[in-house]
Amino acid sequence: MIAIFLACGFLGIGYSSISNISLDMTGTAELDRQTGIYITNIVDGVNANSSIIHTYYQTYMDSTVTLDSSDLTSTVSFQITIYNGTSSKQQFAGVVYDSSFYDNADIVYELSGLNVSDIVTPGNSVTFTITFKYKSGLSTITNNELNSYLNFKFEEIVEYTPVPADITGLIPVVIDNDGTVTTISSSNPNWFNYDNKMWANAVLVKTSGTNTRTYYQSNNDVEVEKDDILAYFVWIPRYSYKIWTTGVSSAGQEQEIDIKFVDTSTKETGTQVGEYRTHPAFTFGNTELNGFWVGKFENSAVSTSTCYTSPSYDNCNNSNIEPRILPSVSALGYQVLYYGFLTSLKFAGGSLNNNTVTFSGDSTYGLNSTANTHLLKNRDWGAMAYLSHSKYGINGKIRSNRNLTNSNLIETGCASPSETTTTSTTDCTYEYGTQTSYPQSSTGNISGVFDMSGGMTEYVMGNYNSNPGSSTYTIFNSAFFTNSSNYVDIYTISDVNNCTIATCGGHALSETYNWYGSAKTFITSSKPWFTRGGHITSAGTSAEFYYSTLVGGHGYQVGFRTVLFGE
């Protein structure tokens, strides 16, 4: 037994006999011994000569502080160092004590260099100063001595490690800066590391190309021939984000979005600033998703199709397009939203019958009937954008893609020569597979999502009041909005100022309004469909937080993106 005899009411009580004292900021008892995180040193600071540190142990400090008995501005300070010897991150919860172990209410303290919620990582220390002083408003000094027993309480952060969904046909890969794609086991810790902004990637491949699909699925650490790849996907893990505003944001209020990964048993429902809210993109009808796969690039068409070689409304605007998701190709335009939706379904053999979506799998891509692929909803875009603007992503504006191919078509995966480029160009300065960093990616590196700023303006399934759009084009039947409601976000408001956390939270609308000067036009009855990211000609306003509206029609600079998950 370690017998440490304490002052301030602890005299005669051995420390080790104090088995369980509970303390909180309001004076309710609760004391947990915190093995592995502890004070390593306390250094006298200002006017500390007349005060005494009786002992310190783990995160507790027993002291007698004596202030000047004739000076209300008198202070005493100590410099404290706390070391985290655990294998987990530790978060500062505050200074806690029981009122019976703090015997002078006229003397208060403040900390400098350590704030509530500050984190100390394993193997590191934090050094801060505690300063004791007379409380504000005190007019007469009746007692200049404080005996106290303080706990600088830390709490272990139990972090959930995101685990990408294992979907039949989807092959885990890592991608080198030069674009080389290599298979990797899903259990290999080098597949991804979101703490280091390295997101999980996977590909769909041909049944038989240079190598067979079975070969790539059965062998790790082999290079995947680019001509064998049909689609690239990136994993967006389930997370909760901390609400930073319940109103409408503006340019100049950009900030890091506080995100924590959670599993499907966690669904936080915060509504106020400072509370966590599980992002709504991870709820699909009654199903809680552990994340979803999203197309790494904007969709394109198979290179042998007339839609690809001679893109036009007539050649592309049908339900027979065989889609691809690839870098350094012409993005798929000219499709109205209705046909873009049908094209995204094709990866998993989906169809829209009687306004209801069903899947039967597709051997071309290797996905079976348990897979679900569809054109992403507005909330899905928001989930990508928020993750990109967190510590796990680029945490800034994604460089715009204003690049055209020599055929005057939009090239996937590119970035403009500089952030100030405001006109289209054939100079793909940051060409995919040629750089060591990628400012046009959601992570700033090759593992992220591309084409979120500029390139095509992307249709998302975000709609005003179940309005199918202009009858000039092939549009959804009104029954679609009821029968397939899981596939579309429906808003009954036409003004961002009417957004609430319940209606728009996580959708990258009001919360990120005008970030980086992005264009922001809200859906109305005349233009009922959202588009995201801006396009090649939206000079200066393209960004991952851009949103505008269309009637559901087509254009060479209007495209879309696909999401994938298993059911």
Side-chain angles (χ1 to χ4, degrees), residues 342-360:
L342 296 184
T343 298
S344 279
L345 297 179
K346 290 176 74 74
F347 285 102
S351 59
L352 183 62
N353 297 314
N354 297 319
N355 300 296
T356 301
V357 175
T358 58
F359 293 95
S360 58

Side-chain angles (χ1 to χ4, degrees), residues 29-94:
E30 175 186 322
L31 168 79
D32 285 328
R33 290 191 172 187
Q34 299 171 87
T35 303
I37 183 163
Y38 51 87
I39 298 171
T40 59
N41 195 27
I42 299 180
V43 178
D44 289 351
V46 175
N47 302 322
N49 291 338
S50 59
S51 299
I52 302 171
I53 301 295
H54 297 288
T55 189
Y56 55 87
Y57 183 76
Q58 294 187 344
T59 55
Y60 309 99
M61 181 181 79
D62 170 26
S63 66
T64 298
V65 170
T66 304
L67 300 179
D68 190 314
S69 60
S70 60
D71 182 2
L72 285 168
T73 66
S74 173
T75 62
V76 167
S77 66
F78 300 98
Q79 187 180 76
I80 302 171
T81 299
I82 292 180
Y83 172 75
N84 181 7
T86 74
S87 59
S88 304
K89 295 178 182 177
Q90 299 283 336
Q91 187 171 49
F92 182 51

Side-chain angles (χ1 to χ4, degrees), residues 378 463-464 491-500 503-504 507-510 513 519-530 532 547-550:
N378 196 42
N463 175 265
Y464 174 69
Y491 304 84
T492 58
I493 57 174
S494 58
D495 187 333
V496 70
N497 291 294
N498 293 325
C499 276
T500 65
T503 58
C504 302
H507 295 209
L509 295 170
S510 55
Y513 182 84
K520 62 283 180 194
T521 303
F522 213 87
I523 47 177
T524 63
S525 58
S526 60
K527 290 187 176 181
W529 291 101
F530 273 123
R532 301 306 304 244
Y547 60 88
S548 191
T549 60
L550 285 173

